[in-house]
Amino acid sequence: MSAGPNTRGALKHVLGHLLTPLLMCVGMGLAYLGAFHAPEPHDLRVDVVGSGPTTRVLAQSLQDEGAGALDVRTVADRETAVTALREQHSFGAYVPGEKPELLVASGSSDTSAMVVEKVFTKVAAAQDAPLKVTDIAPTASGDPTGQGVFFLLVALSIGAYASVAVIGGAGAVLPMRIRVLLAAGMSFVVSLIGTLFAGPVFHLVDRGLGGVWAMSWLYAAGILLVGVGLHTFLRRWTTLGVMVLFVMLNFTSSGGIYRPELQPGFFGSLHAFWNGAGFVEGVRAHVYFDGHDLGGNVLVLALWLVVGAALVTVAGLTEARRAKAVAGPSAEGSAEEKTEVEEEMEEAVAV
């Protein structure tokens, strides 16, 4: 029995829309596997404490054996090494001697601290000495792996970019100023939920909760404004667009699982200015490192918010020009818009 025209039309419609999940599959595979499948250190800064010839020989040997994996330097004393760790200029400091000690700061990155500990455990074992590990910036009791901030980032991102589909799709008939107000309201609600997760619910942070909320709001508001602005131009492709920006490139470059010193160079370069990295490193700086370099990370979040504001402004002007060009939507055009909105909402829910 041959397929009727309705069946053929439906099949063509479905096949056309299967392109989106296929692109998502390829994009997520390339992004996540490319960023996380084989973490290897490169130029990971570590210090050896001391100034004598033995210290210099040890540092040079580690540098040579690492073949680019480590950036080994010597510092004069333990206090200087601690300062470098607290300012996140290094990720480990080895104090040689009869009772060797390794200084780490797991609040900066637990995975980096583990890599450093593995290296210097071998060094101490070669000297037949047990290694004492001192964590000068431990993570909160509710976040023993230090990766809770990353999963907080995931929750905030999903709340924000899912809201984009609703505001941009179902709210497409609303004036841009109303959509911006809805975006502002949703970013506030999402940030409050994230703060509850970070504090009272899971105790991911044990201090500085107000600052965590402020950065959560900046982060969510930036995503929402960028997404709402892009919707005017991308329409039903907005869901894919925000996933590329705020999942595929964002999660992988955030430093929440592996810092850029353990990742391929592409993701390490994004880490310098992507909004997820601004949030993760901003929270770390605020909670564990007495605000050192907090300003730079907040600036990253603020600039994404500015980009979002510029996008919704341009989108509003574009929509105004379109409205002047079209006297009024026809019944056919209205039906097409309704179908497009429904499809976009279905894609967002599936994601």
Side-chain angles (χ1 to χ4, degrees):
M1 186 174 178
S2 61
N6 289 341
T7 302
R8 288 195 297 269
L11 180 60
K12 182 179 179 182
H13 179 77
V14 170
L15 290 174
H17 282 77
L18 284 175
L19 178 61
T20 298
L22 287 175
L23 289 174
M24 289 180 179
C25 177
V26 171
M28 293 291 279
L30 289 174
Y32 274 73
L33 294 175
F36 298 144
H37 84 288
E40 290 288 342
H42 54 87
D43 297 320
L44 184 67
R45 164 76 185 274
V46 294
D47 292 332
V48 178
V49 179
S51 56
T54 303
T55 302
R56 291 194 293 272
V57 169
L58 174 59
Q60 189 61 52
S61 298
L62 288 169
Q63 182 77 39
D64 295 340
E65 291 172 7
L70 302 177
D71 177 13
V72 188
R73 307 185 191 187
T74 60
V75 295
D77 50 45
R78 190 179 187 278
E79 183 180 352
T80 303
V82 169
T83 299
L85 284 166
R86 291 197 182 279
E87 295 180 352
Q88 299 188 78
H89 293 153
S90 76
F91 299 95
Y94 181 69
V95 185
E98 293 183 2
K99 296 180 179 180
E101 180 184 19
L102 175 65
L103 308 175
V104 296
S106 60
S108 176
S109 172
D110 186 66
T111 51
S112 296
M114 290 172 61
V115 169
V116 171
E117 185 174 344
K118 183 178 179 180
V119 169
F120 286 103
T121 297
K122 293 179 180 178
V123 173
Q127 300 172 355
D128 293 322
L131 180 64
K132 175 186 177 182
V133 180
T134 302
D135 194 343
I136 61 101
T139 56
S141 59
D143 187 17
T145 67
Q147 295 177 6
V149 174
F150 171 75
F151 292 107
L152 174 61
L153 171 79
V154 173
L156 292 170
S157 303
I158 291 174
Y161 76 68
S163 299
V164 167
V166 177
I167 295 172
V173 296
L174 297 173
M176 179 58 75
R177 64 180 182 280
I178 301 298
R179 278 175 277 162
V180 169
L181 289 174
L182 288 171
M186 280 304 300
S187 65
F188 179 73
V189 174
V190 167
S191 68
L192 285 181
I193 293 171
T195 305
L196 287 174
F197 286 156
V201 179
F202 293 110
H203 305 287
L204 302 178
V205 299
D206 49 18
R207 56 187 179 273
L209 197 57
V212 173
W213 166 77
M215 283 182 276
S216 298
W217 176 81
L218 267 176
Y219 175 74
I223 291 177
L224 272 152
L225 289 182
V226 168
V228 169
L230 286 177
H231 185 271
T232 299
F233 308 100
L234 299 182
R235 306 299 291 177
R236 75 179 185 86
W237 296 103
T238 304
T239 299
L240 179 60
V242 295
M243 282 198 69
V244 170
L245 289 174
F246 303 121
V247 176
M248 298 176 192
L249 298 179
N250 190 29
F251 294 172
T252 52
S253 65
S254 68
I257 302 297
Y258 299 113
R259 282 187 56 87
E261 293 83 7
L262 299 181
Q263 291 187 292
F266 172 72
F267 298 99
S269 63
L270 292 182
H271 184 83
F273 61 90
W274 220 256
N275 61 338
F279 176 78
V280 169
E281 299 298 351
V283 171
R284 286 171 172 168
H286 174 60
V287 175
Y288 299 124
F289 297 99
D290 300 321
H292 180 77
D293 202 28
L294 174 61
N297 292 302
V298 171
L299 178 61
V300 168
L301 295 174
L303 288 175
W304 276 85
L305 184 66
V306 170
V307 169
L311 268 173
V312 295
T313 300
V314 173
L317 294 173
T318 300
E319 290 177 3
R321 286 197 297 269
R322 289 175 181 173
K324 288 181 179 179
V326 180
S330 64
E332 181 182 354
S334 298
E336 289 176 355
E337 283 188 7
K338 181 179 179 182
T339 301
E340 188 173 282
V341 168
E342 290 173 352
E343 291 170 350
E344 183 178 350
M345 294 295 290
E346 288 170 1
E347 287 180 3
V349 171
V351 171

